[in-house]
Amino acid sequence: MEAIFEKWEDILQTVKEEHEITQISFDTWLKPLEICTVDDHKLYILVPEEMNITGLKYITRRYELPLKVTIAEMTGIEYELVFVLPEEAKKLKTSPKKQPVTSELAERSNLNPSYTFDTFVVGSNNRFAQSASLAVAESPGEAYNPLYIYGGPGLGKTHLMHSIGNFILEQNPDLRVLYVTSEEFTNEVIESIRTGNATAMTKLREKYRTVDVLMIDDIQFIIGKESTQEEFFHTFNVLHAAGKQIILTSDKPPKEMETLEERIQSRFEWGLMADIGVPDYETRMAILRRKVEADEMDLSDDILNYIATNIKSNIRELEGALNKLLAYSNLVKTEITMDIAMKELQNIITPDKPKEITPQLIIEVVSEHCQISLEQMISKNRSSAVARPRQIAMYLCKNMTNIPLESIGKLLGGRDHTTIMHGVNKITEEYETNENTRTLIETIKKKINPN
Ligand SMILES: Nc1ncnc2c1ncn2[C@@H]1O[C@H](COP(=O)(O)OP(=O)(O)OP(=O)(O)O)[C@@H](O)[C@H]1O
């Protein structure tokens, strides 16, 4: 604990040098910072009163990460940094932990209080999405509207969305924030249509069109659901025109949602689109460390390294591995060694066996990505909404496996060699000439083979 106090000046200087911070910026933002107190691995840093909350937010945004990295390098300890103004600093001894928002409005918002910016580890894969989210949280309805966050499964889209909501409510508990999954939204639309009375529809509209911040998770699932799309379209227009914030997440960018109505697709692009990619090794380690700390687990760095090296493309799976070890240690009450970890995680981690790329896997991934059922993929349906994903699957099977064209044809509904060749050639030509097709193919390829 003492080391950090002694090294504070050096730490600030190192941040300045390593990040080429100008003297004026250094004197303005970094030099006045002082350590307030250390509580476990939480480092409270005092921000001078005159900087007020705006300066505090700016320092957090701009300097938290450089400070954190340098502190970890120079003290060997990963601190969580908390910037505080003098007024808040006074309360620290009695209540160092932030109280969760508990107002009635907050409860109705459906937010998970543990998904906050504080618990979100920032790395190169999500830095843009995180800063865009913070900007939206700081000035809802003004910064970017809508904010559209997209990326693969388990990469933190929902976490970021909740962080925005929690931040907004913390700053302004009177705002009406509402989080729903697109499945919940769809079910409510269906239910109000099913009851067939005007009151149900009015209630639904009242609920969604009077909020200050509307968040819909996994918006891709409204594709193909006409009434839901229609309701969403009007809700979007009403809220947007009134300057209310809309935040959406999806597994892909709007331009890849080919079967989504054009008018909705274009609205998604009105504001800011931010993608979250697969985390690099350092970010995966940082996420593991944070969780180990939060759960007060005792795991060696070797074990964390083993997990981070072998689980690369999904943070939910990364956490799942830790949860498995946590459950084991609670049950058996023994220290987790590397051997135990490897044995316990053998169903999750198969280090020497990368997932085999089979035509079945390719067809499944394409069908999921393009929101076309497996039945449609192999059906006789030749409408472009179905034929195109099918041709993409043909192209990928040809390029990613050694399976003969005849076998690909058999798997895709008993089609002959010429049909498969035609599909492959068509997508090959598009891949070479059309940037959207290229992006689409590369995204699907990454889903098939993330390594
Ligand atoms: N950068 C991060 N820092 C800390 N935890 C993270 C981070 N990213 C993801 N997680 C954790 O990983 C888990 C999965 O994240 P989340 O549910 O937000 O993913 P998602 O992108 O919404 O996935 P899906 O598309 O499958 O719904 C959550 O427990 C979340 O807290």
Side-chain angles (χ1 to χ4, degrees):
M1 220 180 257
E2 271 137 33
I4 182 119
F5 283 94
E6 279 166 21
K7 292 183 181 166
W8 187 238
E9 307 264 295
D10 289 344
I11 288 170
L12 294 179
Q13 277 301 333
T14 311
V15 171
K16 175 177 182 271
E17 279 150 32
E18 283 189 351
H19 294 269
E20 294 175 5
I21 294 165
T22 59
Q23 192 62 43
I24 174 80
S25 300
F26 177 76
D27 290 343
T28 312
W29 302 111
L30 287 178
K31 209 166 151 213
L33 299 179
E34 282 170 34
I35 297 180
C36 173
T37 180
V38 182
D39 177 15
D40 198 11
H41 280 187
K42 260 192 184 169
L43 179 66
Y44 291 87
I45 300 173
L46 187 64
V47 176
E49 175 123 77
E50 59 278 14
M51 285 196 189
N52 67 42
I53 188 73
T54 317
L56 182 146
K57 281 182 196 159
Y58 180 79
I59 291 172
T60 311
R61 205 166 45 209
R62 173 89 174 70
Y63 296 109
E64 183 181 13
L65 192 69
L67 273 169
K68 223 170 151 169
V69 173
T70 308
I71 293 170
E73 281 167 0
M74 293 180 66
T75 65
I77 301 173
E78 282 223 10
Y79 287 100
E80 181 186 338
L81 305 190
V82 186
F83 294 93
V84 287
L85 288 164
E87 205 180 352
E88 215 178 320
K90 277 187 226 143
K91 300 184 217 146
L92 275 179
K93 279 204 181 84
T94 46
S95 58
K97 293 204 171 98
K98 228 185 270 166
Q99 295 302 314
V101 184
T102 52
S103 75
E104 201 199 326
L105 277 177
E107 269 159 34
R108 272 193 271 141
S109 65
N110 299 333
L111 292 173
N112 176 344
S114 61
Y115 285 171
T116 63
F117 286 118
D118 291 344
T119 56
F120 190 82
V121 176
V122 182
S124 54
N125 63 313
N126 58 26
R127 183 160 295 122
F128 180 65
Q130 189 267 358
S131 44
S133 299
L134 188 58
V136 164
E138 284 173 344
S139 24
E142 287 166 25
Y144 310 109
N145 205 9
L147 173 65
Y148 184 99
I149 307 170
Y150 66 94
L155 291 180
K157 303 181 292 296
T158 304
H159 188 138
L160 262 188
M161 205 180 212
H162 284 259
S163 306
I164 301 173
N166 283 318
F167 186 99
I168 292 174
L169 285 177
E170 218 173 273
Q171 303 299 309
N172 191 345
D174 296 332
L175 284 187
R176 297 167 72 95
V177 174
L178 179 62
Y179 165 89
V180 284
T181 62
S182 93
E183 197 187 350
E184 282 158 353
F185 182 69
T186 305
N187 288 342
E188 287 185 45
V189 173
I190 293 171
E191 189 54 25
S192 64
I193 294 171
R194 193 188 63 79
T195 52
N197 66 38
T199 330
M201 200 38 108
T202 311
K203 265 192 160 169
L204 176 89
R205 291 186 179 151
E206 234 173 63
K207 172 172 173 185
Y208 284 97
R209 298 186 190 184
T210 57
V211 295
D212 297 298
V213 181
L214 177 63
M215 313 187 195
I216 305 190
D217 209 354
D218 287 325
I219 193 72
Q220 74 272 12
F221 292 123
I222 68 165
I223 291 180
K225 295 164 185 149
E226 271 171 42
S227 309
T228 307
Q229 284 189 44
E230 187 68 20
E231 192 54 38
F232 172 77
F233 177 72
H234 294 294
T235 305
F236 183 103
N237 289 345
V238 169
L239 290 177
H240 198 273
K244 307 297 185 189
Q245 181 70 46
I246 300 155
I247 307 162
L248 306 164
T249 71
S250 169
D251 65 346
K252 49 177 108 49
K255 68 168 184 265
E256 281 181 29
M257 296 167 87
E258 293 180 342
T259 50
L260 181 69
E261 277 182 43
E262 170 70 32
R263 57 182 184 157
I264 296 185
Q265 211 180 91
S266 70
R267 273 164 178 74
F268 287 170
E269 294 173 357
W270 276 1
L272 184 77
M273 290 176 285
D275 76 316
I276 302 192
V278 171
D280 59 17
Y281 171 79
E282 286 76 15
T283 312
R284 298 198 296 277
M285 278 299 273
I287 290 171
L288 288 173
R289 286 212 175 99
R290 179 182 286 269
K291 190 156 166 59
V292 163
E293 225 179 272
D295 292 342
E296 295 178 357
M297 290 173 83
D298 189 14
L299 283 185
S300 71
D301 258 15
D302 281 354
I303 296 177
L304 298 188
N305 172 50
Y306 173 70
I307 300 174
T309 312
N310 288 293
I311 301 180
K312 294 182 178 155
S313 54
N314 185 325
I315 296 166
R316 191 175 293 115
E317 284 175 11
L318 209 63
E319 291 189 338
L322 275 189
N323 287 339
K324 192 139 195 244
L325 297 184
L326 182 63
Y328 180 89
S329 78
N330 283 341
L331 202 69
V332 184
K333 307 251 176 288
T334 178
E335 189 193 335
I336 307 257
T337 60
M338 189 67 184
D339 283 346
I340 296 179
M342 286 174 84
K343 187 159 171 290
E344 278 306 295
L345 300 179
Q346 64 188 351
N347 289 335
I348 304 178
I349 294 175
T350 42
D352 299 319
K353 269 198 254 153
K355 203 164 22 161
E356 196 190 345
I357 299 172
T358 60
Q360 285 85 351
L361 174 70
I362 294 175
I363 295 168
E364 270 171 40
V365 174
V366 173
S367 117
E368 193 251 6
H369 187 88
C370 300
Q371 308 283 313
I372 300 295
S373 70
L374 284 172
E375 289 76 38
Q376 285 175 310
M377 289 289 277
I378 58 171
S379 71
K380 298 263 175 287
N381 186 339
R382 286 166 61 187
S383 71
S384 68
V386 178
R388 189 146 187 281
R390 193 185 291 131
Q391 288 172 337
I392 290 174
M394 294 172 188
Y395 168 89
L396 290 171
C397 286
K398 165 87 176 32
N399 284 287
M400 297 181 84
T401 72
N402 293 321
I403 308 283
L405 294 183
E406 285 76 11
S407 311
I408 301 175
K410 262 193 205 143
L411 283 166
L412 282 166
R415 292 179 153 77
D416 64 19
H417 168 271
T418 333
T419 311
I420 303 299
M421 209 52 230
H422 171 72
V424 172
N425 289 341
K426 186 158 180 286
I427 302 298
T428 308
E429 195 192 316
E430 268 189 47
Y431 183 91
E432 279 157 16
T433 55
N434 183 327
E435 205 196 314
N436 286 353
T437 306
R438 213 162 31 244
T439 316
L440 172 67
I441 299 282
E442 288 309 319
T443 311
I444 300 178
K445 269 183 162 174
K446 257 198 216 125
K447 281 192 173 180
I448 296 168
N449 183 13
N451 299 314

